[in-house]
Amino acid sequence: MFRYIVRRLLQMVLTFFGATFLVFALTFANQDDPIQALAGERPITENLRQTLMERYHLDEPFLVQYWYYMKGLLTGDFGTSLTGRKIIDMMETAWPITIKLGLMAIIIAATIAVTAGVISGIRRGSIFDNATLVVTLIILSLPIVVLAPLAQLVFGIQLKWFPPTATVNASLFDLLLPALVLGSLVIATELRVTRSAVAENLRSDYVRTARAKGLSRKRVIGVHVLRNSLIPVVTLIGVDIGGLMSGAIVTERIFNVPGVGFNLARGIGTEDGPLVVGFVSILVIIFLVVNLLVDLLYAALDPRIRYE
Amino acid sequence: MSDINAVTSAAGPSTQPQMEPKHAGRGKKDKPRSLAADAWADLRRNKIFWVSSILVLIILAMALFPTLFTSADPRDCVLSRQHAGASGSALFGYDFQGCDVYAKTIYGARNSIEVGVVATLLSGVIGLIFGLSTGYFGGWVDAVLSRFIDIILGVPFLLGAIVLAKRFAQDPESNGVLAVTVTLGILGWTTAARIMRSSVITAKNQDYVAAARMLGAGPGRLMLKHILPNSIAPFIVVLTILLGTNIASEATLSFLGVGLKGDAISWGISIAEAGANARTAPEPLVWPSVFLAVTVLAFIMLGDAVRDAFDPKLR
Amino acid sequence: MTDIKADIDVLRGIDPNAPLLEVNDLHVEFRTRDGIARAVNGANFNLAPGETLAILGESGCGKSVTAQAIMGILDSPPGYITQGEVKYRGVDLLKLPEKQRRSVRANHIAMIFQDALSALNPVFTVGFQLSELFRVHRGMSRADAKKRSIELLDQVKIPAARTRVSDYPHQFSGGMRQRVMIAMALALDPDVLIADEPTTALDVTVQAQIMGLLAELQQQRNMGLILITHDMGVVADVADRISVMYAGKVVEEAGVYDIYSRPAHPYAKALLESIPRLDMKGQQLNVIRGLPPALTAVPKGCAFNPRCAFAQDVCRQDPPPPQYIVAPGRTARCHFWRDVVGDE
């Protein structure tokens, strides 16, 4: 267990430096005018040019610039947007609603995916199984830029089942439609992985042993098969977080949920380079930390990893 | 356990050693089939395969010859026609700027397909080179490139794409096609490379490769003549699915304003523009959405069908 | 805590004087995409308390399927029992409803499997997997069940049972894992134990230990043991009687000494001759030509005829009748058994 954690930590540190370096280098390196790139197409006042120059140490060599940027990341200084607000402050007001939205999406998706996936896996080839396969195929191929506006149009505007937009003080119900849209991003893969894991485990030798022990079908599936099948599903959560972050940018923009994704989308729209770099850096860090946690959870679920 | 496996898998191609053709009492049916022939026999019977193939062909026709589908000019926009309803000349009506929605939707296929195909080819080439070399050489090459893939996967896809697309789209004059294509191509190869790597590792350890090596085949010949043909199928499947997701990603980036821009016609831009007025005029939103979804669906379905045919385990 | 063996009551009609286990004319088939595979085509045998019956045959001959059919754990679909009886103390298990069938498993008939690593659930401790039996079948408390589990591990001679009970299967060596399997099978004191290739996956020295342990436990408990194997060496050491299976049929049944000295079926004879022997050193080993038939296409007539040195036209046309009585308690399924026996 200890060696596993240490190895994962080392890998994470490497990935962290690599990934942040990529983000940083792409923004600043080899630019004719990095300041113009940061500010987009807007005209730059001499004052702004001066601020940005100092802020990102653009007059220093590249590696020094990176050093300052890393120092900022590690001390919680993510910079200031072009509108003059500190990134970290914007984050602070934006993240609670995004976390709420994300958790709702994950819980809804996981509940439906695991339940339907287990049933599909047990009854492979049944009508239910074939129906879920078709439904997941359709969900898989609905890009979020299609799903979110259409869901808003149909369920928010035309049928009026849900409020079409959310506010800062959004209730759980206000967030339900965007959460469903966001959850649909991951539900199809989760369901399919659950299904094939259950189907595979059902054929395994230890299930035969469990049956030879005279256990009921309910116990064989509910205890032996389920516990083994959840392992690959849990590992998916790590990857899913990345997908959810991407999805949140579009979903929050469309439903006007004033969260992290909404701010980032607005930053892209207004060509606010420092805001985009700051937000992306924070999200990358969160993504890596979540993935580390998922790895640890994986070890907790699968004893073979724990004692390797 | 051995008995039951022997029995139940007698259907699959994995038991070829048992299928001695010389043996008495065998019907013609038991003749060993190659994996590809087996897969094709399976595909031919698969309705999803045919439906998706036909859809793909129609979409390709739309991209290559839009004039076959419409004679209207998508850039012929007259404000006085703003949100005018559907008519004989404009099947889907007009959008906010008075452009023909049907014509715009048909012409939108071209950019989507172009970006999707070129980005996928780019990813394919990178993935093929990386996958082959990591799988074949192993050792430190594998270790370094695997860590590199970890780093790329350490940035959530859309976030990376936003930063990258912004980086490439410095020229205010360009319509962003090249920037988006390169962005998606650079970010999309990791899965393909991993798949290629693992199938190369499997193929590398097969006896026929060892035999070829002992007969003096060099690494190049081994890779191209012996390993590649036997490990390419899952790779191509991944690329087919990647093509679908690339088209979706192009629309997403364009929707967010870091993809195609200027006067480029893109389903993503159309969706973004129509979203604000969807309450009064849903059609400009609905039609590009439907076309985008069907296109992505067609490619993913095609990839799915081919994979199922090549993966006998899940039959 | 409920009374030990409380659920025996569920099994009505048990006759203590009836034979322990009787298998009559058992047929099992698998319905696959490429046709119907007849895995077992009329298996017959019986088992007495304290007796060891070895079922011998090449892989694919239907011996494991027979065992699974007796246990009632065939994967269905694709496997179906189409005909026959499996009588435990006079009760036909195949006619029991699923709930009662379930109570027979582990309580009366238990089974151990070939590869203990894959047969044990990797994500639960062996303690959990042992305790489960006591908690489900006996309604014991967690603590009592754990205590019994430790006792069991002691009985199968696993050192430091008290600490090892909370280890996971992959932390045990191959031999120790098989001991855990044995403990699990014996937990509820069954009268019949089916061991499916219990030592195939193990080193030779460990094999001997495990077989010794099995024999010892069998004697203590006066269990009937069905030993499924393809290893003639293992059989010679421990079996009382042998059933040789080929293409889903029992082709010869005999006491262990009879079959080793004078086999009556060409297949049994060929099997024996294919064992390397020290006194035949330097001579060519007799191997059986060809491969066992695919169960979707069993040859007409006697299933063994394409590989048989004794085969004549009749063998290619008519299957031999169920049994030729070679001697009391000894049968063979061969038109020419006299030639085979006399050939020696």
Side-chain angles (χ1 to χ4, degrees), chain B residues 100-171:
Chain B
D100 184 335
V101 173
Y102 176 69
K104 260 185 108 166
T105 308
I106 293 293
Y107 275 85
R110 171 168 291 184
N111 276 330
S112 291
I113 296 291
E114 188 185 325
V115 170
V117 169
V118 179
T120 305
L121 288 180
L122 185 59
S123 290
V125 171
I126 305 177
L128 187 68
I129 294 170
F130 275 27
L132 260 183
S133 43
T134 51
Y136 184 81
F137 294 111
W140 66 268
V141 180
D142 186 23
V144 169
L145 286 177
S146 294
R147 285 292 84 75
F148 185 56
I149 291 180
D150 279 352
I151 288 173
I152 291 184
L153 291 177
V155 183
F157 178 79
L158 193 59
L159 298 181
I162 288 169
V163 175
L164 208 55
K166 269 183 87 66
R167 173 72 185 80
F168 289 132
Q170 298 291 314
D171 178 7

Side-chain angles (χ1 to χ4, degrees), chain A residues 111-123:
Chain A
T111 315
I112 298 175
V114 170
T115 319
V118 169
I119 298 175
S120 270
I122 296 171
R123 304 197 193 140

Side-chain angles (χ1 to χ4, degrees), chain C residues 25 43-44 52-53 67 79 87 104 115 130 136 171-172 180 186 197 223 240 253 261 264-265 275 298 314 339 343:
Chain C
D25 197 29
N44 293 292
T52 300
L53 170 71
K87 279 188 170 171
V104 175
D115 179 5
L130 280 167
V136 169
Q171 293 171 283
F172 289 81
V180 172
L186 299 184
E197 306 262 8
M223 276 185 311
D240 300 313
E253 189 180 343
S261 54
H265 191 279
I275 306 174
V298 177
V314 61
D339 296 342
D343 190 66

Side-chain angles (χ1 to χ4, degrees), chain A residues 285-307:
Chain A
I285 295 172
I286 294 174
F287 179 58
L288 291 175
V289 171
V290 169
N291 267 289
L292 183 71
L293 293 179
V294 168
D295 280 347
L296 298 184
L297 188 60
Y298 180 45
L301 278 178
D302 191 342
R304 285 162 296 184
I305 299 290
R306 217 181 305 165
Y307 294 95

Side-chain angles (χ1 to χ4, degrees), chain C residues 10 92-104:
Chain C
V10 182
D92 186 358
L93 300 180
L94 300 182
K95 294 207 174 77
L96 288 182
E98 174 56 24
K99 193 157 179 274
Q100 291 183 35
R101 193 78 209 274
R102 211 155 61 212
S103 74
V104 175

